[in-house]
Amino acid sequence: MRRFERYGVLITGAGRGIGEATARRLAGEGAHVLVTDLDGDRAEKAAAGIRESGGDAEALSCDVADRASVEAAVAYAVRRCGTLDVLVNNAYDCHPDAPLFEDETDEIWHRDLDITLTGAYRCARAALPYLAAAPDRRGAIVSIGSVNGEQDFGNHAYSAAKAGLASLTRTLAGHAAPRGVRVNLVAPGTVHTDAWAGRESCLEAVAAHYPLGRVGLPDDIAAAVAFLASKDAAWITGTTLPVDGGILISQPAFRRALRGE
Protein backbone atom coordinates (compact mmCIF):
# COMPACT_ATOMS: atom_id res chain seq x y z
CA MET A 1 0.00 0.00 0.00
CA ARG A 2 1.41 3.39 -1.02
CA ARG A 3 -0.51 5.87 1.10
CA PHE A 4 1.90 8.73 0.43
CA GLU A 5 2.10 8.77 -3.35
CA ARG A 6 2.97 12.31 -4.52
CA TYR A 7 3.35 13.53 -0.92
CA GLY A 8 6.14 15.88 0.07
CA VAL A 9 7.51 15.07 3.54
CA LEU A 10 10.06 16.84 5.74
CA ILE A 11 11.53 14.99 8.72
CA THR A 12 13.90 16.56 11.25
CA GLY A 13 16.63 14.62 13.00
CA ALA A 14 16.27 11.93 10.34
CA GLY A 15 19.88 10.92 9.91
CA ARG A 16 19.47 7.89 12.16
CA GLY A 17 17.20 6.17 14.66
CA ILE A 18 13.48 6.89 14.68
CA GLY A 19 13.81 9.69 12.14
CA GLU A 20 15.65 7.50 9.63
CA ALA A 21 13.18 4.63 10.11
CA THR A 22 10.29 7.03 9.55
CA ALA A 23 11.91 8.40 6.40
CA ARG A 24 12.34 4.87 5.07
CA ARG A 25 8.75 3.95 5.91
CA LEU A 26 7.17 7.00 4.27
CA ALA A 27 9.42 6.81 1.21
CA GLY A 28 8.54 3.14 0.92
CA GLU A 29 4.90 4.18 0.71
CA GLY A 30 5.55 6.62 -2.12
CA ALA A 31 6.54 9.90 -0.46
CA HIS A 32 9.28 12.24 -1.65
CA VAL A 33 11.14 12.65 1.65
CA LEU A 34 13.50 15.43 2.66
CA VAL A 35 15.82 13.91 5.26
CA THR A 36 17.14 16.71 7.46
CA ASP A 37 19.66 16.51 10.25
CA LEU A 38 22.10 18.82 11.98
CA ASP A 39 24.79 16.51 10.59
CA GLY A 40 24.48 16.89 6.82
CA ASP A 41 26.69 13.88 6.07
CA ARG A 42 24.54 11.68 8.25
CA ALA A 43 21.41 12.96 6.49
CA GLU A 44 22.94 12.20 3.09
CA LYS A 45 23.89 8.69 4.17
CA ALA A 46 20.31 8.01 5.29
CA ALA A 47 18.85 9.47 2.09
CA ALA A 48 21.26 7.44 -0.05
CA GLY A 49 20.17 4.27 1.70
CA ILE A 50 16.54 5.08 0.92
CA ARG A 51 17.36 5.73 -2.74
CA GLU A 52 19.25 2.44 -2.96
CA SER A 53 16.09 0.71 -1.76
CA GLY A 54 14.05 2.37 -4.50
CA GLY A 55 12.67 5.26 -2.45
CA ASP A 56 12.66 8.96 -3.28
CA ALA A 57 14.73 10.95 -0.79
CA GLU A 58 17.00 13.96 -0.60
CA ALA A 59 19.13 15.25 2.24
CA LEU A 60 19.68 18.68 3.73
CA SER A 61 21.48 19.95 6.80
CA CYS A 62 19.05 21.74 9.12
CA ASP A 63 19.54 23.21 12.58
CA VAL A 64 16.15 23.40 14.30
CA ALA A 65 17.65 25.86 16.79
CA ASP A 66 18.01 28.41 13.98
CA ARG A 67 14.92 29.99 12.45
CA ALA A 68 16.63 30.81 9.16
CA SER A 69 17.86 27.22 8.78
CA VAL A 70 14.36 25.87 9.44
CA GLU A 71 12.71 28.24 6.99
CA ALA A 72 15.31 27.40 4.34
CA ALA A 73 14.63 23.67 4.80
CA VAL A 74 10.87 24.15 4.46
CA ALA A 75 11.34 26.30 1.34
CA TYR A 76 13.69 23.69 -0.15
CA ALA A 77 11.18 20.90 0.53
CA VAL A 78 8.39 22.83 -1.18
CA ARG A 79 10.61 23.68 -4.14
CA ARG A 80 11.86 20.12 -4.62
CA CYS A 81 8.63 18.27 -3.86
CA GLY A 82 6.19 20.77 -5.31
CA THR A 83 4.12 20.45 -2.14
CA LEU A 84 4.61 19.94 1.58
CA ASP A 85 2.08 17.54 2.99
CA VAL A 86 3.67 16.12 6.15
CA LEU A 87 6.07 17.48 8.76
CA VAL A 88 7.59 15.06 11.24
CA ASN A 89 9.20 16.78 14.24
CA ASN A 90 11.77 14.28 15.47
CA ALA A 91 14.86 16.32 16.38
CA TYR A 92 15.61 16.41 20.10
CA ASP A 93 18.31 16.91 22.69
CA CYS A 94 18.59 15.06 25.99
CA HIS A 95 21.24 15.57 28.64
CA PRO A 96 21.61 13.42 31.76
CA ASP A 97 20.41 14.89 35.04
CA ALA A 98 22.84 16.19 37.62
CA PRO A 99 22.89 14.05 40.79
CA LEU A 100 21.05 16.83 42.64
CA PHE A 101 18.36 18.98 41.07
CA GLU A 102 19.89 22.13 42.52
CA ASP A 103 23.05 21.41 40.55
CA GLU A 104 21.25 21.48 37.20
CA THR A 105 22.55 24.22 34.89
CA ASP A 106 20.61 26.78 32.89
CA GLU A 107 22.59 25.83 29.80
CA ILE A 108 21.38 22.21 29.77
CA TRP A 109 17.81 23.25 30.56
CA HIS A 110 17.74 25.78 27.74
CA ARG A 111 19.46 23.47 25.24
CA ASP A 112 17.05 20.57 25.77
CA LEU A 113 13.98 22.81 25.54
CA ASP A 114 15.31 24.81 22.59
CA ILE A 115 15.95 21.76 20.41
CA THR A 116 13.15 19.47 21.56
CA LEU A 117 10.26 21.89 22.06
CA THR A 118 11.11 25.24 20.49
CA GLY A 119 12.68 23.50 17.50
CA ALA A 120 9.38 21.76 16.78
CA TYR A 121 7.61 25.11 17.21
CA ARG A 122 9.93 26.72 14.66
CA CYS A 123 9.34 23.93 12.16
CA ALA A 124 5.56 23.94 12.58
CA ARG A 125 5.44 27.72 12.25
CA ALA A 126 7.41 27.64 9.00
CA ALA A 127 5.56 24.64 7.54
CA LEU A 128 1.95 25.40 8.48
CA PRO A 129 1.04 27.70 5.55
CA TYR A 130 2.25 25.06 3.09
CA LEU A 131 0.57 22.21 4.93
CA ALA A 132 -2.67 24.19 4.86
CA ALA A 133 -2.30 24.52 1.09
CA ALA A 134 -1.82 20.77 0.58
CA PRO A 135 -4.48 19.20 -1.63
CA ASP A 136 -7.38 17.15 -0.28
CA ARG A 137 -6.88 18.41 3.31
CA ARG A 138 -4.02 15.98 3.73
CA GLY A 139 -1.64 18.29 5.58
CA ALA A 140 -0.35 16.74 8.81
CA ILE A 141 2.17 17.34 11.55
CA VAL A 142 3.36 14.38 13.60
CA SER A 143 5.75 15.07 16.47
CA ILE A 144 7.80 12.53 18.37
CA GLY A 145 7.13 12.94 22.06
CA SER A 146 7.98 10.50 24.83
CA VAL A 147 6.52 8.63 27.75
CA ASN A 148 8.79 11.00 29.71
CA GLY A 149 6.21 13.68 28.97
CA GLU A 150 3.52 11.55 30.61
CA GLN A 151 5.11 10.38 33.87
CA ASP A 152 8.44 10.24 35.69
CA PHE A 153 11.24 8.46 33.90
CA GLY A 154 13.95 10.97 34.81
CA ASN A 155 15.62 13.69 32.71
CA HIS A 156 14.01 16.89 34.00
CA ALA A 157 14.64 19.17 31.02
CA TYR A 158 13.99 16.58 28.33
CA SER A 159 10.79 15.43 30.06
CA ALA A 160 9.53 18.99 30.45
CA ALA A 161 10.22 19.60 26.77
CA LYS A 162 8.33 16.48 25.72
CA ALA A 163 5.39 17.39 27.97
CA GLY A 164 5.40 20.84 26.40
CA LEU A 165 5.40 19.26 22.95
CA ALA A 166 2.28 17.27 23.85
CA SER A 167 0.60 20.51 24.98
CA LEU A 168 1.66 22.30 21.80
CA THR A 169 0.20 19.41 19.81
CA ARG A 170 -3.21 19.98 21.42
CA THR A 171 -3.27 23.75 21.07
CA LEU A 172 -1.90 23.75 17.53
CA ALA A 173 -4.38 21.05 16.53
CA GLY A 174 -7.25 23.34 17.52
CA HIS A 175 -5.76 26.22 15.58
CA ALA A 176 -4.88 24.23 12.48
CA ALA A 177 -8.03 22.11 12.16
CA PRO A 178 -10.10 24.78 10.34
CA ARG A 179 -7.20 25.05 7.88
CA GLY A 180 -7.36 21.33 7.11
CA VAL A 181 -4.19 20.35 8.97
CA ARG A 182 -4.09 17.60 11.57
CA VAL A 183 -1.55 17.68 14.42
CA ASN A 184 -0.73 14.59 16.49
CA LEU A 185 2.05 13.17 18.63
CA VAL A 186 3.57 9.72 19.11
CA ALA A 187 4.95 9.04 22.60
CA PRO A 188 7.52 6.22 22.44
CA GLY A 189 8.79 4.23 25.35
CA THR A 190 12.37 2.97 25.38
CA VAL A 191 13.53 2.45 21.80
CA HIS A 192 16.75 0.70 20.81
CA THR A 193 18.59 3.36 18.82
CA ASP A 194 22.20 4.49 18.52
CA ALA A 195 21.63 6.65 21.60
CA TRP A 196 21.96 3.42 23.63
CA ALA A 197 25.28 2.37 22.12
CA GLY A 198 27.47 0.87 24.83
CA ARG A 199 24.51 0.48 27.21
CA GLU A 200 22.90 -2.64 25.74
CA SER A 201 22.93 -4.34 29.14
CA CYS A 202 20.76 -1.51 30.45
CA LEU A 203 18.30 -2.10 27.61
CA GLU A 204 18.10 -5.79 28.52
CA ALA A 205 17.33 -4.91 32.14
CA VAL A 206 14.72 -2.35 31.14
CA ALA A 207 12.98 -4.80 28.79
CA ALA A 208 11.87 -6.92 31.75
CA HIS A 209 9.67 -4.05 32.95
CA TYR A 210 7.71 -3.83 29.71
CA PRO A 211 4.48 -5.85 29.62
CA LEU A 212 5.21 -6.85 26.01
CA GLY A 213 8.61 -8.14 27.08
CA ARG A 214 10.91 -6.01 24.96
CA VAL A 215 12.01 -2.47 24.25
CA GLY A 216 10.85 -0.81 21.06
CA LEU A 217 12.48 -0.65 17.66
CA PRO A 218 12.60 2.42 15.42
CA ASP A 219 10.27 0.67 12.97
CA ASP A 220 7.62 0.38 15.70
CA ILE A 221 7.53 4.14 15.98
CA ALA A 222 7.74 4.71 12.23
CA ALA A 223 4.61 2.59 11.74
CA ALA A 224 2.67 4.75 14.18
CA VAL A 225 3.89 7.95 12.53
CA ALA A 226 2.85 6.61 9.13
CA PHE A 227 -0.65 5.91 10.42
CA LEU A 228 -1.12 9.36 11.96
CA ALA A 229 0.33 11.09 8.90
CA SER A 230 -1.92 9.19 6.49
CA LYS A 231 -5.56 9.63 5.49
CA ASP A 232 -6.27 6.51 7.56
CA ALA A 233 -6.18 8.93 10.50
CA ALA A 234 -8.26 11.58 8.73
CA TRP A 235 -10.53 12.09 11.76
CA ILE A 236 -7.78 12.14 14.40
CA THR A 237 -6.15 15.33 15.61
CA GLY A 238 -4.75 16.69 18.86
CA THR A 239 -4.00 13.24 20.24
CA THR A 240 -1.01 11.67 21.97
CA LEU A 241 -0.56 8.06 20.91
CA PRO A 242 1.64 6.06 23.31
CA VAL A 243 3.73 3.47 21.49
CA ASP A 244 5.34 2.11 24.58
CA GLY A 245 5.02 -1.65 24.98
CA GLY A 246 2.52 -1.01 27.77
CA ILE A 247 4.93 0.72 30.15
CA LEU A 248 2.51 3.52 31.01
CA ILE A 249 -0.05 1.04 32.31
CA SER A 250 2.50 -1.19 34.05
CA GLN A 251 3.64 -1.13 37.67
CA PRO A 252 5.49 -4.45 38.00
CA ALA A 253 7.18 -3.61 41.31
CA PHE A 254 3.84 -2.61 42.82
CA ARG A 255 2.22 -5.84 41.61
CA ARG A 256 5.08 -7.90 43.06
CA ALA A 257 4.64 -6.14 46.40
CA LEU A 258 0.91 -6.96 46.41
CA ARG A 259 1.78 -10.61 45.83
CA GLY A 260 4.27 -10.52 48.69
CA GLU A 261 7.22 -11.23 46.44
Side-chain angles (χ1 to χ4, degrees):
M1 181 167 55
R2 293 171 67 85
R3 293 176 291 183
F4 299 101
E5 202 74 52
R6 294 185 296 277
Y7 274 54
V9 176
L10 190 159
I11 306 176
T12 66
R16 60 183 179 181
I18 291 171
E20 181 182 9
T22 300
R24 279 191 282 103
R25 177 63 184 256
L26 299 188
E29 293 198 39
H32 182 116
V33 178
L34 180 61
V35 177
T36 73
D37 199 282
L38 182 62
D39 185 331
D41 291 339
R42 192 158 60 199
E44 178 52 44
K45 183 178 179 180
I50 292 170
R51 292 193 297 270
E52 289 170 6
S53 300
D56 190 357
E58 297 185 52
L60 187 70
S61 176
C62 177
D63 181 1
V64 300
D66 180 77
R67 179 173 183 172
S69 181
V70 166
E71 292 178 348
V74 168
Y76 184 86
V78 172
R79 186 167 65 251
R80 297 294 294 170
C81 303
T83 179
L84 181 60
D85 304 284
V86 176
L87 166 68
V88 180
N89 288 313
N90 174 68
Y92 75 96
D93 215 338
C94 178
H95 289 84
D97 292 335
L100 293 175
F101 184 73
E102 55 267 36
D103 294 331
E104 296 284 345
T105 67
D106 286 359
E107 290 75 19
I108 287 178
W109 178 269
H110 289 309
R111 177 67 179 174
D112 281 9
L113 264 71
D114 191 40
I115 299 300
T116 307
L117 175 57
T118 310
Y121 156 77
R122 291 185 186 102
C123 292
R125 179 179 59 191
L128 188 55
Y130 301 101
L131 298 172
D136 197 26
R137 295 176 66 88
R138 68 191 192 190
I141 298 172
V142 183
S143 295
I144 307 302
S146 173
V147 294
N148 285 56
E150 306 297 317
Q151 66 185 49
D152 173 29
F153 291 99
N155 295 107
H156 304 297
Y158 172 80
S159 298
K162 291 297 192 181
L165 190 53
S167 178
L168 178 62
T169 294
R170 293 187 292 271
T171 59
L172 184 54
H175 172 81
R179 304 171 71 179
V181 179
R182 297 178 301 103
V183 187
N184 291 291
L185 180 139
V186 174
T190 307
V191 178
H192 192 170
T193 66
D194 291 345
W196 290 92
R199 295 185 292 159
E200 286 77 12
S201 60
C202 181
L203 283 178
E204 292 178 10
V206 165
H209 293 276
Y210 278 83
L212 291 182
R214 66 173 177 88
V215 298
L217 299 173
D219 285 344
D220 294 320
I221 312 308
V225 174
F227 165 66
L228 288 174
S230 77
K231 294 301 290 278
D232 288 342
W235 211 43
I236 300 174
T237 196
T239 194
T240 290
L241 174 62
V243 184
D244 66 350
I247 195 66
L248 287 177
I249 52 89
S250 174
Q251 293 289 339
F254 183 78
R255 290 199 307 272
R256 288 195 297 269
L258 285 177
R259 294 193 299 262
E261 298 176 1

